[in-house]
Structures are given as structure tokens and as C-alpha cells.
Amino acid sequence: MTRNTAREIAIQLSFAAAAAGRDPLELADEFFSEEHYASMAAECPLYEEQPDKRQMRYIRNLIQLIAQHKDELDSIITANSHGWKIERISRTALAVLRVALCEILYMDDIPVKASINEAIELDKNYDEPDTVSFVNGILGGFMRSREAQQTED
């Protein structure tokens, strides 16, 4: 399984946990049970391969960080969405944005450009081109403001 596949699974788990109002780690435990995961593999090629220990650590860490920092991540999204209330942003776009921002802010081993590029490419699987551009704009705006802030410091 590639990091990209693990990232997409994290996006789906983050989406599902937010939609159901569930603890993401409990949801992950259920999701990765052998029986459930096998049933998902029959429905979607994304789940054909079970994550190894390293990928599982990445997925669990990422969804836990998103849950812990959801308010901060959503505030960044709101600040960079220019006139859009967070409620108007598609749930899939929110899940993609939260994953990308979480990687950028809290996962130093992942290059920022990789997080952004993967977010854009993965969002293309779920959203319309206008929404993909919107996601790109939010991430670009965040990075520009972050770079400007680092220049000032």
C-alpha cells in the first residue's frame, strides 16, 4: 500500500468520523477489523491491501491529530476561504483540507509540497473542478500567509 492510498483511507475515515460524530480511533478499530475490511475490499479496490504497521500508524496518528486539532484546522480553513462559511464547504473538501493542513502543521516527515499536491489530486476523485480549485486556493492562501509570517519573525 502506498502513502497515497493510506492518505485516502485517512480522508475517508476523517470524513466518516465527522459525519457520524464518532471518535475516529474507535471508528478505525471497527473499520480495520478483518471482517469489515475484507467486505470493503469486495466493494472498492482502495481496500484490496491491508495497511502494514507503518501505514496503520500513519493513518491512526493522522485521524487522531485531526480530531485533536479540528477547531484550529477549521479556523485556518475559514480564514482562507474568503467569504465562505465552513458549513458551505463540501464535507469531502473539508476532510481533504483537514488532512493536508494536519500533515503540514504536525507531520514534519512529510514534505509540504507533497501534502498539497496529494490533497489536490485526491480531491479530484471526490469533488467537482470548482471545488478542487477552491481547495487549492485555501491551501495556497494558507501557505502564503504562513511564509509571510515566517518572514516577519
Side-chain angles (χ1 to χ4, degrees):
M1 175 180 289
T2 65
R3 171 69 62 98
N4 185 44
T5 301
R7 185 179 281 114
E8 187 166 6
I9 291 170
I11 288 169
Q12 291 188 359
L13 282 170
S14 176
F15 174 91
R22 302 244 345 251
D23 176 83
L25 293 179
E26 287 178 13
L27 185 66
D29 289 341
E30 292 171 18
F31 184 82
F32 289 111
S33 72
E34 205 170 304
E35 185 179 310
H36 183 264
Y37 202 80
S39 73
M40 294 295 293
E43 296 176 26
C44 179
L46 180 68
Y47 304 107
E48 288 176 349
E49 185 180 347
Q50 186 86 10
D52 64 22
K53 287 181 182 180
R54 185 175 57 88
Q55 294 155 340
M56 187 64 79
R57 231 181 358 262
Y58 162 78
I59 292 167
R60 291 179 65 82
N61 185 39
L62 185 54
I63 62 173
Q64 185 172 29
L65 284 167
I66 291 167
Q68 289 171 343
H69 298 281
K70 182 183 173 296
D71 291 340
E72 178 187 2
L73 298 170
D74 287 356
S75 131
I76 291 168
I77 294 166
T78 300
N80 289 282
S81 63
H82 307 293
W84 280 67
K85 291 186 179 188
I86 202 157
E87 298 82 23
R88 289 189 57 210
I89 301 171
S90 82
R91 289 186 196 176
T92 52
L94 278 176
V96 168
L97 285 163
R98 288 172 181 150
V99 164
L101 289 168
C102 197
E103 286 182 343
I104 292 166
L105 293 169
Y106 306 111
M107 301 177 105
D108 296 334
D109 61 322
I110 301 173
V112 170
K113 287 183 180 184
S115 295
I116 293 171
N117 289 338
E118 290 295 325
I120 302 308
E121 289 304 311
L122 287 170
D123 196 45
K124 289 177 182 178
N125 296 333
Y126 299 100
D127 285 316
E128 297 295 321
D130 287 349
T131 304
V132 174
S133 294
F134 180 74
V135 167
N136 188 28
I138 289 175
L139 293 173
F142 169 70
M143 291 309 298
R144 283 187 296 279
S145 66
R146 187 175 186 210
E147 289 167 2
Q149 188 176 45
Q150 288 173 345
T151 303
E152 290 174 6
D153 292 342

